[in-house]
Amino acid sequence: MLKVNLFFQTVWLSTAITGTVRTDRAHPQSIAVIGAGIGGSSSAYFLRQHFGRGVRIDVFESETVGGRLATASINGQDYETGGSTIHPFNLHMKEFAQMLGLQELKLPDDVQAVYDGEEFVFEDSDWFIINIIKLVWRYGFDYLRMKMWVESFLHRFMKVYQFQSGGYSFTTMEKLLYGVGGDEFVRMIKYSIDEALQNVGISQRFLNEIVTPILRLSSGQSANINALVGTLSLLQADSDLWRVEGGNKLVCSGLLYSAKVNLIKGKVTSIHTKRRPQRNGELVHLYEVNYTEGSDPGYSLYDIVILAAPMYPGKSQVHFHDIPQPISFYSGHYQQKVVTLVAGCLNASYFGQHGSGPFRPTTITTTAHSDGSILGASVSVPIKPVPGDQPPTCARVWKVLSPEPLAEGELSRLFPSPEAVHESHWFAHPSYSSSDEIPPFVLHDHLYHLNAMEWAASTMEMMAISAKNAALLAHHRWYQQLEKVDQDILPQGQKVEL
Ligand SMILES: Cc1cc2nc3c(=O)[nH]c(=O)nc-3n(C[C@H](O)[C@H](O)[C@H](O)COP(=O)(O)OP(=O)(O)OC[C@H]3O[C@@H](n4cnc5c(N)ncnc54)[C@H](O)[C@@H]3O)c2cc1C
Ligand SMILES: *[C@@H]1O[C@H](CO)[C@@H](O)[C@H](O)[C@H]1NC(C)=O
Ligand SMILES: *[C@@H]1O[C@H](CO)[C@@H](O)[C@H](O)[C@H]1NC(C)=O
């Protein structure tokens, strides 16, 4: 906390010295966005909304538009390999899809089974009511308690959209959480989901057999992750989930197009501050962004820079000059996750199932007691719906999640005769712990870091919320309109249509 506070003081001091308050300030000439994942592309869209047509927006992307939203082709169909499911209450994602004319593809309810290394300790029935009876029989009212916890969080969290549609923005995640949900929300990033659920009376057995397996599948981690990312992960196991027909990454390319940006296929290597005297003698700050396009170096000057890529030691080597190194104090790392798509027949004996009937589960989660080579597996739905019935069991495509690439022997034990295999490697999201500090969104006067949000929780919607927040912050700080920054009380009558 200390470092973050000190850093804020320096930022504050430097604006106090150099920035004369001008409400009639000219609009910025140019803005750089670094990264064209959902964070970068949605911030380009919001920046265009708030700064108007007069500003040039350059978006840098070193690899492919979409970033961690990506698809792969297997057996003639395309499947999501990165971020896949979207919750019905994710309002920014919903708005993007609607605005871009993209279809929401509803996902079929899955049949879940929980594997503990020997057998299924829990298996969904086809009948809702039987499921409830099974859950109550084994776990008492824990399932209901969890549902209530998650839903009450969700309802309160929706207030973030009220703040954002009213134009309010925050300089840190803690201030945002405080505004939205008071001390209780701030505490969510300081204690674990485990503790949070135990506090509402949920049993260890339910935590081990239901909660932890869901968290392992969505975050690759156990119940020691912070309560915010934990609760959002539990939401990913809700019903009514959807994804974008044709692939979630279409949202990114669509937003960039609608924001009329210049897309630069280049890797940003460094950012430093420049001062330039204006005609009236006043000094203005600019950011010089150096990049390589192929092997050609290039550079350009910007009034505002939005960093929309993860920054941590070893990845995204962007060097900062004359800017307090914003990331080096942060020692956390990103978690590797391997997504293996396999077309073929799953070996039910692998999961201790020896019956001769059809294999019913479509999502398999694992407890922390299972040996850990796989985190879970689920039947994957192609990004374009295929007309007709469900494919026969052995013609399905499974998505297997593991912390390391599956060993040859492991894969052939799980799928004795696979028709096709495709492996994707990700640095998926931060390795969470409940003692994490969340880095600030503001790195320098007009330099912002979207992915600081990820240290609280990393989902498409959270990145879109961060993007909207950064665009508002950039706007208000540019025009010195600070009354809507870090304001934690929403004026009466601020309503949002849900
Ligand atoms: C396997 C997996 C499953 C997931 N499941 C879900 C899910 O079901 N639901 C959900 O909501 N979320 C899910 N997520 C999380 C979600 O995908 C991410 O939170 C989100 O996509 C992050 O977007 P971003 O724009 O912040 O980062 P990224 O998508 O990583 O974008 C950053 C971009 O910046 C580029 N870049 C980096 N450095 C530079 C540089 N120096 N110069 C130029 N460009 C640079 C990168 O190439 C990249 O394209 C999942 C993630 C993974 C990996
Ligand atoms: C950025 O590029 C300019 C022009 O090529 C060059 O003069 C400058 O030294 C570069 N800065 C860095 C930090 O590489
Ligand atoms: C299926 O899995 C079981 C249990 O892991 C294993 O013993 C068996 O050899 C596998 N079947 C095939 C055909 O590989």
Side-chain angles (χ1 to χ4, degrees), residues 270-274 286-290 299-302 305:
S270 70
I271 302 173
H272 43 165
T273 56
K274 285 261 142 129
L286 289 168
Y287 297 99
E288 183 178 86
V289 171
N290 283 46
Y299 79 106
S300 210
L301 292 169
Y302 298 95
V305 177

Side-chain angles (χ1 to χ4, degrees), residues 7 17 39 131 138 156 250 274 278 364 426-427 433 441:
F7 181 61
I17 294 161
N131 265 344
R138 195 165 171 95
R156 296 177 58 194
L250 292 183
K274 285 261 142 129
Q278 282 185 316
I364 300 164
W426 296 108
F427 283 102
S433 81
F441 297 137

Side-chain angles (χ1 to χ4, degrees), residues 245-258:
E245 186 176 326
N248 292 331
K249 66 181 179 187
L250 292 183
V251 174
C252 301
S253 47
L255 288 173
L256 293 180
Y257 180 81
S258 97

Side-chain angles (χ1 to χ4, degrees), residues 302-321:
Y302 298 95
D303 295 306
I304 296 172
V305 177
I306 311 271
L307 266 169
M311 295 282 134
Y312 52 94
K315 180 80 179 161
S316 289
Q317 295 280 357
V318 179
H319 295 283
F320 298 84
H321 298 266

Side-chain angles (χ1 to χ4, degrees), residues 128-423:
F128 176 75
I129 191 70
I130 297 191
N131 265 344
I132 297 294
I133 294 168
K134 275 170 108 173
L135 282 164
V136 171
W137 181 256
R138 195 165 171 95
Y139 309 108
F141 289 106
D142 286 351
Y143 178 74
L144 203 64
R145 288 193 185 99
M146 178 185 82
K147 269 283 206 224
M148 281 165 62
W149 163 269
V150 169
E151 260 155 42
S152 114
F153 165 81
L154 187 61
H155 280 114
R156 296 177 58 194
F157 187 72
M158 299 306 274
K159 196 169 164 195
V160 76
Y161 299 111
Q162 277 170 273
F163 273 106
Q164 294 202 322
S165 65
Y168 293 85
S169 61
F170 299 89
T171 52
T172 66
M173 188 61 189
E174 292 187 11
K175 289 182 176 153
L176 185 150
L177 287 172
Y178 184 77
V180 174
D183 280 329
E184 204 182 313
F185 269 31
V186 178
R187 273 203 307 276
M188 287 185 79
I189 53 175
K190 302 199 185 297
Y191 71 155
S192 66
I193 183 72
D194 201 30
E195 285 172 78
L197 295 180
Q198 277 180 19
N199 286 347
V200 294
I202 289 177
S203 68
Q204 196 61 50
R205 183 183 211 185
F206 187 79
L207 284 170
N208 293 346
E209 294 182 1
I210 301 290
V211 175
T212 300
I214 294 175
L215 301 179
R216 280 164 58 82
L217 189 66
S218 64
S219 74
Q221 288 183 261
S222 295
N224 62 340
I225 61 179
N226 77 59
L228 181 70
V229 67
T231 306
L232 291 170
S233 300
L234 293 174
L235 276 169
Q236 298 290 345
D238 229 336
S239 47
D240 293 331
L241 300 175
W242 60 281
R243 65 173 67 138
V244 174
E245 186 176 326
N248 292 331
K249 66 181 179 187
L250 292 183
V251 174
C252 301
S253 47
L255 288 173
L256 293 180
Y257 180 81
S258 97
K260 299 197 167 52
V261 306
N262 302 310
L263 181 61
I264 299 171
K265 296 286 292 173
K267 183 175 174 58
V268 171
T269 50
S270 70
I271 302 173
H272 43 165
T273 56
K274 285 261 142 129
R275 279 168 207 240
R276 193 178 264 185
Q278 282 185 316
R279 225 175 282 142
N280 61 8
E282 210 177 303
L283 281 178
V284 288
H285 272 291
L286 289 168
Y287 297 99
E288 183 178 86
V289 171
N290 283 46
Y291 57 96
T292 49
E293 209 174 347
S295 53
D296 300 335
Y299 79 106
S300 210
L301 292 169
Y302 298 95
D303 295 306
I304 296 172
V305 177
I306 311 271
L307 266 169
M311 295 282 134
Y312 52 94
K315 180 80 179 161
S316 289
Q317 295 280 357
V318 179
H319 295 283
F320 298 84
H321 298 266
D322 332 314
I323 298 169
Q325 189 65 247
I327 305 303
S328 59
F329 71 79
Y330 207 78
S331 58
H333 66 281
Y334 268 52
Q335 184 131 340
Q336 174 171 292
K337 224 186 217 181
V338 179
V339 173
T340 311
L341 291 172
V342 189
C345 213
L346 186 121
N347 172 14
S349 318
Y350 184 98
F351 296 107
Q353 303 297 297
H354 302 292
S356 57
F359 187 73
R360 294 178 39 259
T362 57
T363 294
I364 300 164
T365 55
T366 58
T367 67
H369 293 297
S370 64
D371 69 358
S373 59
I374 76 163
L375 296 164
S378 57
V379 172
S380 220
V381 179
I383 59 173
K384 288 220 173 69
V386 190
D389 293 336
Q390 276 267 325
T393 325
C394 283
R396 289 167 166 177
V397 168
W398 284 84
K399 183 190 278 187
V400 183
L401 255 99
S402 52
E404 300 288 335
L406 291 175
E408 190 64 44
E410 190 77 10
L411 186 67
S412 60
R413 208 153 57 84
L414 195 49
F415 296 94
S417 45
E419 276 175 52
V421 179
H422 180 282
E423 200 176 86

